[in-house]
Amino acid sequence: MRMLSAEQYVASLSEPPDPVLRDLTAETTATAPNLQSTHYEGLMTAMLTRVAAPRRAVVLGTFTGYSTLCMARAMPPDGRILACEINAEWAAVAEKYWARAGVADRIELRVGPADAFLRDLPGDPPVDLAFVGADKVNHLRYYEMLLPLLRPGGVMIIGDALRGGLVLDQECRDEDVVAVREFNTAVAGDDRVHSMTYPAGDGVTIVYKR
């Protein structure tokens, strides 16, 4: 009898994706296979959302909407998400699946650059939960723009912390890899927050504002 890998074992204990998530994964994988969030990452995002119980959440870089959908399903009934995606085609895919999942009324989507979105974002009421999946080169800038908007005790989730393991290779000078490496170091040393990086999927950094 073949022994399961740790990843297979964890997957066997986890809630499986429903038809909406399976179809969204299939459509995304057909066009951008290296950018799709894993189901396990989606489950973790949903669990953190349940713990945070946010009334106001922000998503930067929603892509085709998998993580945002998981967040919307896990929010309290009065919770709402402000989401931003720069690519109109990906945003249209996201909206299609949010409608199919019955959560479209919880999400306000704006198509455009994340920095402009953040500049226009009012600080009152404060943000309870933020998810950052936008362009990696600007992760640290987005973090610094979001942190003042996040309430004390609020949570920020930042994806792509490992870049396929390339952050460990100091010889790799790819712009995205260097930016993520510098971001990871900056957050780890930031005394305004508690933080940890978890190796799910391509790595997730979880930040709790003091």
Side-chain angles (χ1 to χ4, degrees):
M1 180 177 177
R2 183 182 177 187
M3 184 179 295
L4 293 176
S5 67
E7 183 177 352
Q8 290 169 328
Y9 176 71
V10 169
S12 74
L13 299 175
S14 301
E15 178 184 347
D18 67 5
V20 177
L21 292 175
R22 286 200 301 269
D23 290 350
L24 173 52
T25 295
E27 182 166 344
T28 303
T29 302
T31 56
N34 296 323
L35 299 179
Q36 174 65 52
S37 295
T38 68
H39 180 57
Y40 186 69
E41 288 175 286
L43 288 173
M44 185 174 64
T45 299
M47 184 63 73
L48 289 169
T49 302
R50 292 187 184 97
V51 172
R55 264 60 185 181
R56 188 181 191 223
V58 169
V59 176
L60 298 184
T62 194
F63 187 40
T64 57
Y66 194 105
S67 295
T68 308
L69 196 163
C70 292
M71 290 173 64
R73 283 176 164 175
M75 294 181 80
D78 61 344
R80 296 295 181 268
I81 299 174
L82 293 170
C84 175
E85 172 53 51
I86 197 168
N87 185 302
E89 292 183 8
W90 290 344
V93 173
E95 290 185 306
K96 178 174 68 174
Y97 283 94
W98 295 340
R100 184 175 159 189
V103 298
D105 61 332
R106 297 185 177 190
I107 307 166
E108 179 183 336
L109 176 65
R110 300 177 190 174
V111 178
D115 53 354
F117 170 78
L118 284 173
R119 282 196 299 270
D120 293 339
L121 196 65
D124 188 24
V127 175
D128 303 301
L129 177 67
F131 183 98
V132 180
D135 53 306
K136 315 311 169 225
V137 171
N138 288 306
H139 267 192
L140 186 56
R141 187 157 66 91
Y142 299 151
Y143 171 81
E144 292 293 351
M145 294 176 77
L146 270 171
L147 198 60
L149 304 174
L150 196 67
R151 66 168 174 83
V155 174
M156 195 185 307
I157 305 167
I158 305 99
D160 304 301
L162 300 179
R163 299 304 291 165
L166 290 174
V167 291
L168 303 174
D169 180 4
Q170 296 298 323
E171 299 299 317
C172 180
R173 306 310 297 170
D174 177 87
E175 186 178 26
D176 281 358
V177 174
V178 171
V180 170
R181 190 186 295 127
E182 292 175 350
F183 170 81
N184 292 343
T185 300
V187 172
D190 189 350
D191 61 9
R192 296 171 296 177
V193 302
H194 297 290
S195 67
M196 65 167 291
T197 299
Y198 190 76
D202 198 25
V204 179
T205 296
I206 303 166
V207 170
Y208 175 93
K209 184 176 178 180
R210 296 176 188 259

